[in-house]
Amino acid sequence: MDSWDKVCLPKAFGGLDFRNGQRWNHAILAKYIWAVSEKHDVLWVKWINSVYLKGSDFCSYRLPQDTSWYWRKLCNIRGKFSREDIIAAGLNRKFNSANLYIQSLNHVQVINAQLLTFDNLLRFKVPLDSVMCPVCGVNEESHSHLFFACSLSVKVLEILAEWLNIRLWPYEFYRWRDWLSSRNNGLLSHIYNMLFVDVVYCIWRNQNCCIFYLYSQTASSIAAEVRLLMQNKLISISKKKLSVQGTCLIAQFTM
């Protein structure tokens, strides 16, 4: 993560909330992806489906070589966002580019920012005094251990599972991925994705505190921080026009 990426993080994530022009442009263009995917009843969408897609699903559509530059640019935006995030940004038939931008920024910075746990540092041949987890000191540090197997992280997940009244709570990355992809409800899936991002962020920040300040938060304080981040985001979502079911779902998580 370079300095500009850090500056562009939301203030809640330690940045200055500057807008990243490229990613903001992608979020705006994603509105057209949403319109095409949802097959809106407008002339240009009908034309796209008739001339280019011809009944194919837009997300799995294979772009041919001989196509116009604007259609190629739009298709290339598909890889910038998940289908779930685009659907969530278009709740109630009104697309919210700002929410998509913030959500995608969180995913890019937290999930895909090449978090340099000790196992990755060794691959770059960075000299280390120890490769043991700075939080528990029991096992070697890796993504899998830090976020899902470390005794502190497990306790955090247990507290959050109790808060959300979830019994089948995954404790490995790949199980998390499968679990998130199995959530079919658009808003609920969006909430669980936000939760995953916030859990990773808070655990990672505590790991940095252990390294640089020799101090670790308790599991309950980390879980409380995750809940606060989640509730602030959900309050923002609740200000939009939601269905009765969506309003009840938001209320369930903000009580």
Side-chain angles (χ1 to χ4, degrees), residues 138-162:
V138 176
N139 297 98
E140 293 185 5
E141 186 191 68
S142 64
H143 283 195
S144 177
H145 170 77
L146 177 63
F147 297 116
F148 305 104
C150 179
S151 57
L152 183 69
S153 301
V154 169
K155 185 61 179 176
V156 170
L157 295 176
E158 288 176 349
I159 295 172
L160 292 172
E162 183 178 356

Side-chain angles (χ1 to χ4, degrees), residues 8-9 15 25 34 73 77 95 113 117 162 196 205 233 238:
C8 290
L9 282 171
N25 184 54
W34 172 66
K73 184 176 180 65
I77 297 297
F95 195 80
T117 46
E162 183 178 356
F196 178 73
R205 194 167 72 167
K233 292 178 182 179
S238 68

Side-chain angles (χ1 to χ4, degrees), residues 6-137:
K6 293 178 183 177
V7 167
C8 290
L9 282 171
K11 291 181 180 179
F13 287 83
L16 297 179
D17 209 15
F18 286 5
R19 183 166 289 172
N20 183 303
Q22 185 181 45
R23 292 198 180 111
W24 175 246
N25 184 54
H26 290 160
I28 293 174
L29 290 175
K31 178 179 181 179
Y32 300 108
I33 294 178
W34 172 66
V36 172
S37 299
E38 296 293 305
K39 294 182 170 60
H40 287 184
D41 189 20
V42 293
L43 183 60
W44 75 270
V45 173
K46 292 180 179 179
W47 185 83
I48 287 293
N49 278 285
S50 174
V51 175
Y52 288 116
L53 296 181
K54 299 178 180 178
S56 301
D57 176 66
F58 182 58
C59 291
S60 58
Y61 166 75
R62 298 186 66 178
L63 184 68
Q65 294 296 324
D66 54 338
T67 188
S68 59
W69 68 269
Y70 76 87
W71 177 241
R72 182 177 298 278
K73 184 176 180 65
L74 189 60
C75 287
N76 288 338
I77 297 297
R78 291 178 298 179
K80 306 296 181 182
F81 309 100
S82 69
R83 182 196 292 262
E84 291 76 17
D85 283 345
I86 291 177
I87 291 174
L91 287 175
N92 300 316
R93 309 297 293 177
K94 186 176 181 180
F95 195 80
N96 193 317
S97 296
N99 271 7
L100 180 62
Y101 168 78
I102 293 173
Q103 185 64 19
S104 67
L105 188 65
N106 292 345
H107 278 294
V108 170
Q109 301 299 342
V110 179
I111 304 300
N112 296 322
Q114 296 181 347
L115 296 177
L116 295 178
T117 46
F118 290 161
D119 59 332
N120 282 335
L121 288 173
L122 288 176
R123 294 174 188 171
F124 291 108
K125 299 183 179 180
V126 176
L128 299 171
D129 294 332
S130 172
V131 295
M132 303 303 289
C133 173
V135 180
C136 69

